[in-house]
Amino acid sequence: MQINALTGAFGAEVFDIDLKGGIESEQARSIEEALAENVVLVFRNQDLDIYDFERFAMSLGEFGETPFIAPIDGHPNVLRLLREAEEKGPLFGSGWHSDWSFQLQPPSATLLYALEVPEVGGDTAFTNQYLAFESLSDSMQSILRDLKGLHSAERSYGPQGTFGQPDPGSSMHIQGDETAVVLQAHPLVRSHPLTGRQSLFVNEVYTVGIEGMTKTESSALLEFLFEHSRQIAFTCRVRWMPGTLTMWDNRATQHFAINDYSGSKREMYRITLAGEQPVLN
Ligand code: SIN
């Protein structure tokens, strides 16, 4: 396996590995370590069917739970992210977020495999939440270590949310409901179970408040943290090609699906891996 950095900040492309037909457990451990270190890993030119994709994911962990979106028939852990060329509605994933951070145990990692992509456009952007935290002053770091963020799926999947009502024009079967309004508290700063590094665990899609603070207080602090996290020096961007598989570590990154490919089709398979309850050690 050869690993080439994507940017000076983080992210890496992985070469000399064929994911079709399964990988050895030693290779799986190397990938886990590389992911923890690089946060985003991009595997190019992989020729996978849905079974290969599931097998690769299972070699790295257990499947995570996927709420609100209908999976592929016969493959309860795989989503098809499909946007047809003529679609106009809100784009799934188009807002800075860490996957399902409103769950008690949000997914550790997400795997996305490109079947069909626009000739240009449809990239995915990532932030590095280790760098976002480490670049703050010692005083701000110690304030944040004492706080818990409140996460909720309401803005996306609540009855009034972006995907709250069925959209007949959408190729994806997204169905929000009232369960989305539940609040889940997580530390604003979490320790990574493999690296021990601390990262800022907030995102503008799902983090809706801070425990013990008024709305005005929490909004001001969260706005600062959202803006701080997405500064260009803490980001990288993945350009897709058919056969690209990208995986990211939700414990240390936010991501954003860029909506700049109107008139083109984009189709992906997506799996999340089960994670643990975030803690700060
Ligand atoms: C996601 O948020 O999981 C989807 C990202 C993408 O489609 O690029």
Side-chain angles (χ1 to χ4, degrees):
M1 232 167 58
Q2 192 190 320
I3 298 184
N4 296 348
L6 258 185
T7 69
F10 75 113
E13 288 185 307
V14 186
F15 297 99
D16 296 336
I17 182 165
D18 182 0
L19 306 179
K20 195 171 183 64
I23 56 169
E24 304 294 325
S25 56
E26 209 171 289
Q27 289 175 306
R29 299 298 77 81
S30 304
I31 290 171
E32 272 170 5
E33 279 166 27
L35 181 67
E37 191 179 322
N38 295 285
V39 182
V40 174
L41 292 181
V42 184
F43 301 83
R44 299 290 188 190
N45 304 316
Q46 300 294 326
D47 176 20
L48 308 182
D49 62 24
I50 194 164
Y51 299 97
D52 297 318
F53 185 49
E54 287 172 316
R55 193 178 308 110
F56 174 57
M58 279 162 59
S59 64
L60 299 172
E62 306 282 319
F63 291 124
E65 244 178 70
T66 298
F68 305 120
I69 304 167
I72 295 177
D73 279 349
H75 300 273
N77 300 294
V78 188
L79 295 185
R80 184 188 303 280
L81 305 196
L82 172 61
R83 189 163 175 95
E84 295 288 358
E86 66 282 0
E87 278 188 55
K88 296 273 180 273
L91 174 68
F92 177 77
S94 191
W96 285 111
H97 65 287
S98 173
D99 285 327
W100 312 144
S101 70
F102 51 85
Q103 293 181 328
L104 176 66
Q105 297 179 312
S108 56
T110 303
L111 288 76
L112 203 56
Y113 177 67
L115 299 167
E116 188 171 340
V117 294
E119 216 164 275
V120 65
D123 296 358
T124 308
F126 296 89
T127 64
N128 183 322
Q129 296 298 109
Y130 289 135
L131 297 181
F133 182 65
E134 290 161 359
S135 61
L136 293 167
S137 65
D138 290 347
S139 304
M140 181 56 100
Q141 288 185 359
S142 73
I143 291 169
L144 298 178
R145 282 195 191 96
D146 285 336
L147 297 174
K148 285 194 168 161
L150 298 172
H151 297 245
S152 160
E154 183 168 8
R155 288 180 190 150
S156 299
Y157 303 107
Q160 317 301 327
T162 313
F163 301 104
Q165 301 301 321
D167 174 2
S170 170
S171 305
M172 289 179 60
H173 300 287
I174 307 181
Q175 179 73 68
D177 61 50
E178 293 76 29
T179 61
V181 305
V182 171
L183 289 176
Q184 178 62 57
H186 290 307
L188 274 190
V189 183
R190 67 183 293 183
S191 304
H192 195 287
L194 295 181
T195 62
R197 276 173 87 183
Q198 297 181 350
S199 62
L200 192 54
F201 194 56
V202 290
N203 67 86
E204 69 183 7
V205 171
Y206 299 130
T207 316
V208 297
I210 295 178
E211 206 171 65
M213 286 194 179
T214 64
K215 189 90 196 141
T216 316
E217 290 166 345
S218 65
S219 297
L221 182 50
L222 287 174
E223 270 314 312
F224 163 71
L225 295 175
F226 298 154
E227 194 63 39
H228 172 76
S229 296
R230 59 188 174 228
Q231 57 188 280
I232 197 87
F234 306 151
T235 66
C236 75
R237 180 166 169 153
V238 171
R239 184 163 188 186
W240 296 91
M241 287 174 273
T244 298
L245 187 154
T246 298
M247 59 186 298
W248 58 88
D249 188 331
N250 286 300
R251 302 170 287 204
T253 185
Q254 299 181 52
H255 59 283
F256 189 115
I258 300 173
N259 190 357
D260 63 351
Y261 57 97
S262 171
S264 300
K265 179 179 170 185
R266 184 177 187 266
E267 185 174 12
M268 311 267 189
Y269 288 149
R270 178 183 184 274
I271 289 177
T272 53
L273 297 182
E276 62 290 310
Q277 188 168 355
V279 288
L280 175 64
N281 298 321

